[in-house]
Amino acid sequence: MKELSLNILDITENSLKAGATLVTVLIEESESLMKISIEDDGVGMTGEVLSSVENPFYTTRKTRKVGMGIPLFRFAAEQTGGDLKISSRHIDEFPDAHGTLVCATFNKAHIDFTPLGDVISTVVTLIQGHPDRDFLFIHKSERGTVTLDTRELRSVLEEIPLDAFEVLSWIRENLTEQYESIKQI
Amino acid sequence: MKSLAELKAIKDRMRDKIVIREGANDTRVVVGMATCGIAAGARPVLNAFVEAVNNEGLYEKVTVSQTGCIGFCQLEPIVEVFEPGKEKVTYIKMTPEKVSEVVEKHLKGGKVVTEYTVASAN
């Protein structure tokens, strides 16, 4: 992947397939590190499935038997000297607190650090494809914080869907202005 | 700043429009957004379709949606166009530039852009 924002889009699709109603994408940056966490309230994975998801020959998809999402994200982290961790609680074992957390850490100064890229397009794409789900996006750095919570937008919009073009444009412009105000774009 | 008050104004403007729109869509544009599609550039292709369909005033007739792996990963980004009563058209190796052409010629003009379809890959 050319941008970490594309890995975020890809990994979040797994959360949506797991039936998540809310996905939280949290990016935390210090001067030297970037930590990307994707947390969902989907069905979660059993210990057996969890131990196999990092194997590229494991996938839930039917059209082809290779799943590259997690291995690619893990590789992007490890090639900077960082790492990727997954924890999960399956719905059968934790009926009231199930879900999955994928957390990757990157050394930003490493020559093989992949840039974050167009994270605004990733957020807009997720909402366009899944207007019935909720997303909480938070990007914290030393300069400030950018946030978007679709639950808040939904309460303003009422019956108007989040994937209406005017709404998607508002989301794109709102995020762009937030990034401009902390001078990080 | 794009404020929530502005979002509320969008809602008020759209209330009337929504009623007309419901059930009126008949053409579906589906973009493959699995790992293979995303890595090959499906995100800008999807966003180009969303924008062009709106800008060309086709939103009452065309919906743009996302799907998983279509099965020809080496030909991604792949876009399928479903029109009622017609055979599915599969466009391959799409780019935002090709999107403008497909919207103009196919979605607006009704003429399939054959040089971008999967049939042209053989």
Side-chain angles (χ1 to χ4, degrees), chain B:
Chain B
M1 186 65 87
K2 288 281 161 189
S3 62
L4 289 176
E6 212 165 323
L7 192 64
K8 194 180 172 300
I10 291 173
K11 175 191 76 175
D12 295 338
R13 273 206 308 277
M14 286 193 64
R15 276 215 159 121
D16 311 325
K17 232 159 119 186
I18 281 295
V19 182
I20 309 163
R21 239 189 238 186
E22 258 174 42
N25 294 330
D26 49 13
T27 297
R28 281 193 307 130
V29 173
V30 181
V31 183
M33 295 288 292
T35 307
C36 45
I38 292 170
R43 190 183 65 187
V45 166
L46 175 90
N47 287 313
F49 265 114
V50 170
E51 208 152 293
V53 162
N54 184 75
N55 293 348
E56 298 297 328
L58 296 168
Y59 47 83
E60 282 177 21
K61 190 187 141 221
V62 181
T63 43
V64 181
S65 57
Q66 306 178 21
T67 188
C69 180
I70 294 168
F72 306 102
C73 306
Q74 69 279 17
L75 303 177
E76 294 278 0
I78 297 177
V79 175
E80 295 178 321
V81 179
F82 298 88
E83 290 171 288
K86 290 187 189 171
E87 248 183 78
K88 173 183 83 179
V89 176
T90 305
Y91 288 109
I92 59 167
K93 297 185 180 174
M94 287 298 284
T95 63
E97 293 71 35
K98 290 182 181 176
V99 169
S100 322
E101 217 178 315
V102 168
V103 170
E104 190 61 36
K105 291 183 180 163
H106 185 170
L107 301 183
K108 279 184 86 177
K111 199 172 174 303
V112 176
V113 188
T114 45
E115 62 261 46
Y116 302 154
T117 62
V118 70
S120 71
N122 301 328

Side-chain angles (χ1 to χ4, degrees), chain A:
Chain A
M1 299 274 182
K2 287 180 194 148
E3 304 175 1
L4 293 178
S5 67
L6 293 173
N7 294 95
I8 294 174
L9 178 59
D10 186 31
I11 300 300
T12 304
E13 294 289 345
N14 297 341
S15 297
L16 298 164
K17 267 181 229 127
T21 58
L22 172 67
V23 183
T24 302
V25 175
L26 172 64
I27 306 170
E28 294 165 287
E29 278 188 77
S30 66
E31 205 176 309
S32 59
L33 291 178
M34 180 182 282
K35 193 173 145 191
I36 299 175
S37 314
I38 298 160
E39 187 172 19
D40 69 61
D41 59 359
V43 292
M45 291 178 277
T46 60
E48 192 191 346
V49 171
L50 184 56
S51 62
S52 58
V53 288
E54 292 178 42
N55 173 355
F57 299 103
Y58 179 82
T59 181
T60 56
R61 124 173 103 191
K62 304 285 186 290
T63 47
R64 194 160 57 81
K65 285 196 161 52
V66 180
M68 290 301 291
I70 290 288
L72 284 173
F73 199 31
R74 180 185 204 82
F75 179 71
E78 286 182 349
Q79 71 179 357
T80 72
D83 64 5
L84 180 139
K85 293 187 182 107
I86 309 175
S87 53
S88 194
R89 289 172 164 210
H90 193 260
I91 191 164
D92 289 348
E93 258 183 282
F94 301 91
D96 301 319
H98 50 88
T100 299
L101 170 64
V102 176
C103 184
T105 307
F106 302 82
N107 285 305
K108 295 200 296 187
H110 197 284
I111 191 161
D112 291 323
F113 174 66
T114 312
L116 181 62
D118 187 0
V119 76
I120 295 175
S121 283
T122 283
V123 174
V124 171
T125 303
L126 285 168
I127 297 170
Q128 194 274 339
H130 311 277
D132 52 335
R133 316 292 183 90
D134 279 309
F135 298 93
L136 172 59
F137 172 72
I138 305 170
H139 186 168
K140 286 182 190 169
S141 72
E142 287 150 327
R143 290 196 177 95
T145 302
V146 170
T147 60
L148 188 98
D149 187 341
T150 56
R151 292 168 299 184
E152 188 187 9
L153 309 188
R154 212 182 284 283
S155 72
V156 172
L157 288 167
E158 295 171 11
E159 81 282 9
I160 303 297
L162 281 167
D163 63 343
F165 183 76
E166 292 83 345
V167 176
L168 293 175
S169 300
W170 181 91
I171 292 168
R172 185 179 285 280
E173 285 169 40
N174 175 275
L175 285 170
T176 304
E177 287 177 12
Q178 287 191 56
Y179 273 109
E180 278 167 0
S181 75
I182 62 163
K183 295 193 171 51
Q184 185 177 327
I185 195 156

